[in-house]
Amino acid sequence: MASPLVFVTGGTGFVGSAIVRALLGKHPTWKLSVLDMSIDKGMCQERGITHPNVEFVAINILDIPSLNEAFQHRRPEAVIHVAGFVPPLEDRYRRRLWKQAYRINVDGTRNVLDAAKKVGVKAFVYTSTCCVVIDDYTQSYANIDERWPVVEQGTASIYGETKAVAESLVLQANGSVCEETKSTLLTCSIRPATTFGEGDHQLLPSIVSCIIDKNESVFQVGDGLNLWDTVYVGNSADAHVLALENLLSDDPSAAGEAFFIQNNEPTSFREFCLAVWKQYNGHVPSFTVPVPAGLAWVLGAVMEALTWFTHTPATLSRGSVNDATAIRYASGEKSRRILGYEPRFSTEEGLKRTCTEYRQRREKSGSHPKSNTEMLIQQLKASLN
Amino acid sequence: MPSASSVVYYLTHPGELRSIIQWKTWHNAVHERDETKETENQKKCFHYLNKTSRSFAAVIQELHPELLMPVCLFYLILRGLDTIEDDTSISAKKKEPTLRNFYTYLELDGWNYTENRPEEKDRDLLVNFDCVVREFKQQKQEYRDIIADITKRMGNGMADYCLNAEFNEKGVDTIRDYDMYCYYVAGLVGEGLTSMFVESKFGNPALLDRPHLQVSMGLFLQKTNIIRDIKEDFEDNRRFWPREIWSNHVDNFSDLLKPENREIALNCSSEMVLNALDHADECLFYLAGLREQSVFNFCAIPQSMAIATLALCFRNPKMFERNVKITKGEACQLMLESTQNLQVVCDVFKKYTRIIRRKNVPQDPNFLKISIACGKIEQFIESIFPSANVKEIVAKGELQRKLGLGAVAPKKDDKKDDAQWWDSLYLFLMVMGLIVVVFGSMTLTAWALGARFDLIFKDLMPSNWGQLKQEFVSHDGPRITSSPVAHQEL
């Protein structure tokens, strides 16, 4: 395979930049175009994606004419579509931001997919999420695999639902033939578990804030034994690269398929938090206050009711209690068999790297680094008005 | 007569007492020895079996008649070999050839061994070993070959260790050496037994293609014993914990036993447990290959006991002070659960790995590794016995992929919605009721203690509002709601 041109949408973000780094590491001769809503040169440098073979294009995936122009002008052979909307934690189970989520995740994906089809892109890897299956919180998900159905509209979270629609668009497009170039488009979907890693603005910060900003590490919701998956961003990036290589190979066995990607080391949410705190600054709770899941759920419901009155977002809700107590982990069998994916970093190694980076970031920017999502929401509000 | 302390124990642990009674009353052996058909010599062999083994005698004697005698003899032969190896009064020079040639004695009519020191507990067996030899010669050639082959390899292994001065002086060095040692003393037994199971058609021949499974069976048991017996072995001047592990925690092996190092020793022992847990899933996998109930019981009981013993030893400081062992009640419970089917044994493993996770503390350097090892065992069990109705879910998934999203949307059921609405209303009313009760009783208490509600009401009159508002603003900054749970997101 000659050096193809690969588009990476959302390529300066948390997961996107890790994919760009992984691509540069494994295929230094490939040409990459990183498409993102705005390009922050300093951040690109910081995230190690500035490279002679990487071109940065500021583009909004909701802006169809510019998007088509970028594709027509460069004619990439492959696309990794990472750009998407991840609601902030407090809105995870609320429907307030449904419109934004749908616009970016579904319409945005359709736009990128259409633009790719028009110029005869051969391989399209979509960054989905495990939430497309596991976000219906009336269900338990022990050792699930890719045969499980995805969530239906109105049954889960806005994130899981909109990503599920987008994923089905991507997988349905598999095998479509470009009228102009007569080449066939092959697609597949990567469903990473809850992701942590360098540049993480959601998981690590919220867990660390339990010991820095508040003193909440003593509370254990539920029995603390419910297994749950996480993935280190470097492993997730590896899986994306493997998927792309597979689609570009002579035996594209991943075409039309979805894959759960995780560290293949399920632990409970509680155990993960304890490990993060210990890694971050050696914090060990001096005692444990077990809060029965049922009680926490009622407290969550009360907080939600208060939220409804006060309009201030609460992080404790029935949804977040469920996130801490639900059983949600997947089998790594299919990704191993078809993609040849084996996690290169253990959870422990990943946490070490993540905590070191986050500690530095906090020191550098004061105690509250601004999150991507906050910035994104601001921009969105402006663009949607 | 049970001792007073055990009476108290079982009165406070009625569940365990129940297990003992259940086991004694309801346990039916799959096969029972038929003593009327046994020769005098066979009876003699069983006599020595009962004399030399505490835990294995019962399960061996319940084996299928096809395997009963061969396994009994296999046990006695290895016990004999072990008795020579263990005897420190025999010089290495004399011991070595005896160990290496032991397998040849199995064919020597009337062979016995009288050079053990008198206090060696199984000395009698070797003194009367001719009964074992006589019986051995009656067995099918296939079983004799298997037993002789394992005896030969184990004897050679023991002889090598016996000559290895470094091993005898410093104990086990690396984890590889540790695995090797356990392989010689236990893994080989697993190999021999597996060959016998397959030979008798009671074991899936595929087991022979995955030799690491049977090795894990032996290693899991052996490592558990080595962990549990730390105190006893140390006093006998034997060191089986590998240096590669203990040197992560202490400079000298003997420091592990010092009371002031208890916390460090516990961290070391949990690293040992972590090492042993690695074999657990393969043991369950192996058990899935057994096709006959008595053979299954024979293999499953020691494994269940081992996982329970590991959980008992895990972060238990008492193991450095005295010999710890599971109670008789727990042992009976485990035997009840290990003589049914694989799923019940898997539940046992799940239960004890969860006990280990509950005892796991973040102060332990291997905290995360241990919880991951336990998680992997649970995931493995889930993969063979899924808790969900996989068939139904997969059918739903297939339908959805065929017909597109929306195909399996929950149908709007008015009745169900109605019920849900009533549920919510009841819940709401209950919460409100609770609040009224709590508020009421607090008010009542306050009143009883002399609270002046009349003054409070006066304060709340409209004429005082301006003042109140000022206070509210000055005292209350912006409110931040906080939560003990952060949560997941991509």
Side-chain angles (χ1 to χ4, degrees):
Chain A
M1 160 172 44
S3 293
L5 171 64
V6 183
F7 270 22
V8 183
T9 69
T12 72
F14 167 43
V15 177
S17 62
I19 294 173
V20 173
R21 286 195 298 275
L23 280 170
L24 286 174
K26 213 167 165 190
H27 302 285
T29 60
W30 287 14
K31 297 262 185 288
L32 307 179
S33 290
V34 167
L35 279 58
D36 218 319
M37 214 161 39
S38 60
I39 305 293
D40 176 342
K41 286 264 157 62
M43 193 155 81
C44 294
Q45 193 89 45
E46 209 172 283
R47 296 196 153 163
I49 53 173
T50 332
H51 187 277
N53 283 352
V54 180
E55 171 207 28
F56 294 94
V57 186
I59 224 165
N60 186 331
I61 52 169
L62 296 180
D63 177 358
I64 299 175
S66 322
L67 196 64
N68 281 333
E69 214 268 333
F71 272 81
Q72 295 288 353
H73 179 62
R74 294 177 181 79
R75 305 191 80 86
E77 277 183 84
V79 174
I80 302 183
H81 177 42
V82 190
F85 176 72
V86 187
L89 288 182
E90 63 268 24
D91 279 303
R92 181 163 147 67
Y93 279 110
R94 297 164 84 201
R95 305 203 75 86
R96 204 168 60 100
L97 299 174
W98 183 82
K99 197 170 149 196
Q100 281 96 319
Y102 196 89
R103 286 278 283 149
I104 300 177
N105 291 344
V106 180
D107 296 342
T109 299
R110 189 184 293 114
N111 296 346
V112 177
L113 206 50
D114 286 345
K117 277 187 202 166
K118 276 188 205 136
V119 298
V121 164
K122 294 193 188 93
F124 190 104
V125 176
Y126 176 60
T127 307
S128 179
T129 162
C130 62
C131 295
V132 299
V133 175
I134 63 166
D135 266 8
D136 175 354
Y137 63 75
T138 60
Q139 307 289 319
S140 217
Y141 299 94
N143 200 43
I144 57 166
D145 59 50
E146 290 79 356
R147 296 171 301 171
W148 258 242
V150 298
V151 293
E152 292 286 348
Q153 299 308 294
T155 62
S157 66
I158 53 170
Y159 182 59
E161 290 168 18
T162 54
K163 290 292 270 189
V165 176
E167 184 188 79
S168 76
L169 290 177
V170 171
L171 296 180
Q172 276 163 18
N174 181 52
S176 56
V177 179
C178 174
E179 281 171 22
E180 190 193 324
T181 64
K182 304 286 174 243
S183 61
T184 308
L185 176 72
L186 299 178
T187 66
C188 76
S189 172
I190 299 293
R191 296 170 174 173
T194 308
T195 309
F196 64 91
E198 295 92 336
D200 171 11
H201 277 279
Q202 239 179 7
L203 186 66
L204 246 276
S206 62
I207 294 176
V208 168
S209 100
C210 292
I211 53 167
I212 305 285
D213 307 324
K214 311 159 204 164
N215 196 1
E216 290 171 343
S217 66
V218 295
F219 296 108
Q220 172 191 309
V221 180
D223 65 3
L225 298 175
N226 48 302
L227 294 179
W228 163 75
D229 268 328
T230 56
V231 66
Y232 171 62
V233 74
N235 291 335
S236 170
D238 284 351
H240 283 82
V241 176
L242 286 169
L244 186 63
E245 288 170 349
N246 181 296
L247 294 186
L248 290 173
S249 74
D250 297 334
D251 176 27
S253 50
E257 301 288 335
F259 302 93
F260 284 113
I261 295 295
Q262 55 278 327
N263 290 341
N264 294 333
E265 295 182 328
T267 64
S268 74
F269 181 68
R270 176 71 183 169
E271 288 162 330
F272 185 79
C273 289
L274 288 167
V276 169
W277 294 326
K278 186 178 156 191
Q279 185 64 47
Y280 187 76
N281 64 358
H283 174 92
V284 169
S286 35
F287 56 95
T288 304
V289 182
V291 182
L295 175 66
W297 192 84
V298 171
L299 286 177
V302 170
M303 290 303 288
E304 276 176 68
L306 285 179
T307 307
W308 191 75
F309 282 117
T310 59
H311 296 284
T312 48
T315 30
L316 182 66
S317 64
R318 285 172 302 174
S320 65
V321 167
N322 180 69
D323 280 343
T325 57
I327 296 171
R328 290 166 168 172
Y329 63 101
S331 156
E333 211 279 316
K334 185 178 172 186
S335 55
R336 184 180 301 133
R337 180 165 44 86
I338 297 181
L339 300 180
Y341 165 77
E342 291 282 356
R344 189 150 55 97
F345 303 90
S346 68
T347 305
E348 201 163 58
E349 175 60 25
L351 275 183
K352 230 176 253 171
R353 290 160 173 255
T354 310
C355 286
T356 311
E357 186 269 341
Y358 184 54
R359 224 182 291 118
Q360 287 165 356
R361 201 187 333 155
R362 273 184 82 111
E363 278 160 16
K364 224 192 291 176
S365 62
S367 58
H368 291 287
K370 200 167 183 188
S371 91
N372 278 354
T373 322
E374 281 164 36
M375 296 192 299
L376 187 65
I377 289 175
Q378 278 171 11
Q379 288 179 2
L380 268 169
K381 275 183 187 154
S383 72
L384 285 174
N385 280 338
Chain B
M1 249 327 264
S3 68
S5 66
S6 68
V7 169
V8 172
Y9 180 85
Y10 286 111
L11 281 178
T12 49
H13 297 79
E16 290 191 20
L17 182 63
R18 184 166 174 258
S19 300
I20 299 179
I21 297 168
Q22 275 192 325
W23 177 254
K24 302 255 151 143
T25 24
W26 298 115
H27 172 68
N28 277 325
V30 192
H31 307 283
E32 260 174 287
R33 267 177 63 197
D34 186 353
E35 290 194 51
T36 55
K37 286 187 188 152
E38 281 170 8
T39 63
E40 275 315 303
N41 194 53
Q42 283 173 335
K43 281 184 187 150
K44 213 168 155 191
C45 288
F46 284 117
H47 165 75
Y48 285 111
L49 175 69
N50 285 313
K51 240 179 115 178
T52 53
S53 160
R54 284 161 304 169
S55 42
F56 282 106
V59 274
I60 291 177
Q61 287 173 89
E62 289 185 9
L63 272 174
H64 189 281
E66 167 74 17
L67 285 174
L68 175 64
M69 216 55 222
V71 174
C72 172
L73 292 170
F74 189 32
Y75 180 85
L76 291 175
I77 289 163
L78 297 186
R79 170 61 56 204
L81 190 65
D82 200 39
T83 304
I84 297 174
E85 191 223 7
D86 268 358
D87 193 333
T88 46
S89 71
I90 307 170
S91 71
K93 217 170 142 195
K94 263 174 118 178
K95 204 187 267 183
E96 190 221 335
T98 320
L99 291 172
R100 290 200 200 279
N101 296 327
F102 197 83
Y103 76 100
T104 58
Y105 306 148
L106 303 178
E107 304 284 346
L108 283 184
D109 284 324
W111 186 85
N112 53 33
Y113 188 79
T114 52
E115 285 170 55
N116 277 119
R117 56 185 170 174
E119 61 267 37
E120 206 56 50
K121 66 177 171 44
D122 297 327
R123 184 179 191 276
D124 259 9
L125 168 67
L126 280 169
V127 171
N128 298 288
F129 207 72
D130 48 310
C131 69
V132 176
V133 174
R134 186 174 315 139
E135 208 52 47
F136 180 75
K137 292 189 133 180
Q138 310 286 317
Q139 301 307 311
K140 277 189 198 157
Q141 193 57 45
E142 292 82 3
Y143 295 134
R144 282 165 66 179
D145 290 344
I146 294 167
I147 295 173
D149 172 53
I150 299 293
T151 310
K152 180 179 173 185
R153 283 156 67 194
M154 192 183 281
N156 277 324
M158 285 174 167
D160 291 342
Y161 281 108
C162 161
L163 292 181
N164 186 336
E166 197 183 314
F167 173 81
N168 293 318
E169 205 179 309
K170 294 187 186 153
V172 182
D173 190 36
T174 64
I175 293 176
R176 224 185 103 88
D177 294 343
Y178 177 53
D179 283 353
M180 206 55 177
Y181 174 78
C182 292
Y183 171 75
Y184 272 112
V185 296
L188 273 174
V189 185
E191 225 176 293
L193 287 170
T194 307
S195 306
M196 285 157 93
F197 298 155
V198 172
E199 181 61 45
S200 62
K201 309 261 187 300
F202 296 152
N204 190 330
L207 288 174
L208 296 178
D209 302 331
R210 299 170 186 251
H212 51 102
L213 296 184
Q214 67 213 16
V215 170
S216 269
M217 289 287 280
L219 262 58
F220 189 59
L221 299 186
Q222 189 63 27
K223 288 182 171 183
T224 302
N225 288 344
I226 286 177
I227 293 167
R228 184 197 55 197
D229 295 340
I230 173 77
K231 171 85 174 154
E232 197 184 326
D233 285 337
F234 179 74
E235 279 168 356
D236 292 346
N237 204 18
R238 283 179 303 205
R239 301 169 174 192
F240 298 116
W241 290 26
R243 192 194 46 80
E244 194 176 339
I245 289 180
W246 61 254
S247 64
N248 292 334
H249 306 272
V250 287
D251 294 332
N252 297 303
F253 184 76
S254 54
D255 292 347
L256 284 176
L257 276 297
K258 291 183 181 152
E260 66 269 26
N261 292 337
R262 216 34 42 100
E263 209 44 48
I264 301 170
L266 282 175
N267 289 341
C268 182
S269 73
S270 41
E271 196 173 341
M272 290 292 293
V273 171
L274 172 64
N275 172 284
L277 282 175
D278 221 22
H279 303 290
D281 56 347
E282 293 200 324
C283 294
L284 294 173
F285 200 171
Y286 179 93
L287 292 176
L290 300 176
R291 295 167 168 170
E292 202 269 341
Q293 186 68 45
S294 74
V295 171
F296 177 84
N297 297 354
F298 172 75
C299 293
I301 290 175
Q303 299 295 329
S304 298
M305 299 277 180
I307 188 80
T309 305
L310 271 189
L312 175 72
C313 291
F314 184 65
R315 299 207 69 81
N316 183 352
K318 290 194 187 99
M319 66 183 270
F320 295 101
E321 291 154 20
R322 58 177 168 80
N323 212 338
V324 293
K325 55 178 185 188
I326 44 182
T327 61
K328 193 163 179 213
E330 205 172 359
C332 285
Q333 175 72 29
L334 286 165
M335 288 196 285
L336 281 169
E337 289 167 339
S338 312
T339 47
Q340 296 172 45
N341 56 51
L342 185 58
Q343 189 160 8
V344 183
V345 174
C346 281
D347 287 341
V348 170
F349 269 66
K350 197 158 145 185
K351 174 177 150 194
Y352 285 100
T353 49
R354 286 185 160 211
I355 290 176
I356 292 175
R357 282 171 75 200
R358 267 193 217 101
K359 288 164 85 177
N360 197 8
V361 293
Q363 288 89 336
D364 194 318
N366 291 294
F367 168 75
L368 187 59
K369 287 203 182 87
I370 291 165
S371 64
I372 287 171
C374 292
K376 279 192 174 163
I377 297 171
E378 200 169 317
Q379 181 169 27
F380 176 77
I381 293 171
E382 188 66 37
S383 75
I384 37 180
F385 297 111
S387 50
N389 185 346
V390 176
K391 227 172 156 183
E392 200 178 281
I393 293 170
V394 168
K396 229 168 137 183
E398 260 162 32
L399 190 70
Q400 192 187 52
R401 276 186 293 279
K402 211 154 66 190
L403 304 178
L405 269 172
V408 296
K411 284 202 190 76
K412 214 157 169 67
D413 187 343
D414 287 343
K415 251 189 217 155
K416 209 173 145 198
D417 267 14
D418 231 31
Q420 267 173 3
W421 190 82
W422 280 107
D423 276 355
S424 313
L425 186 67
Y426 284 139
L427 193 72
F428 178 75
L429 288 177
M430 262 166 59
V431 171
M432 290 316 279
L434 202 70
I435 290 173
V436 167
V437 169
V438 171
F439 186 75
S441 57
M442 280 170 73
T443 317
L444 208 64
T445 318
W447 175 78
L449 293 171
R452 291 288 303 272
F453 289 109
D454 49 341
L455 295 181
I456 296 171
F457 284 128
K458 215 169 162 185
D459 267 359
L460 288 175
M461 289 313 277
S463 54
N464 293 321
W465 279 8
Q467 197 194 336
L468 265 177
K469 199 175 171 188
Q470 231 171 14
E471 275 175 29
F472 184 78
V473 171
S474 59
H475 288 301
D476 251 345
R479 281 165 187 250
I480 298 162
T481 38
S482 60
S483 118
V485 281
H487 70 103
Q488 71 163 93
E489 192 51 73
L490 167 76

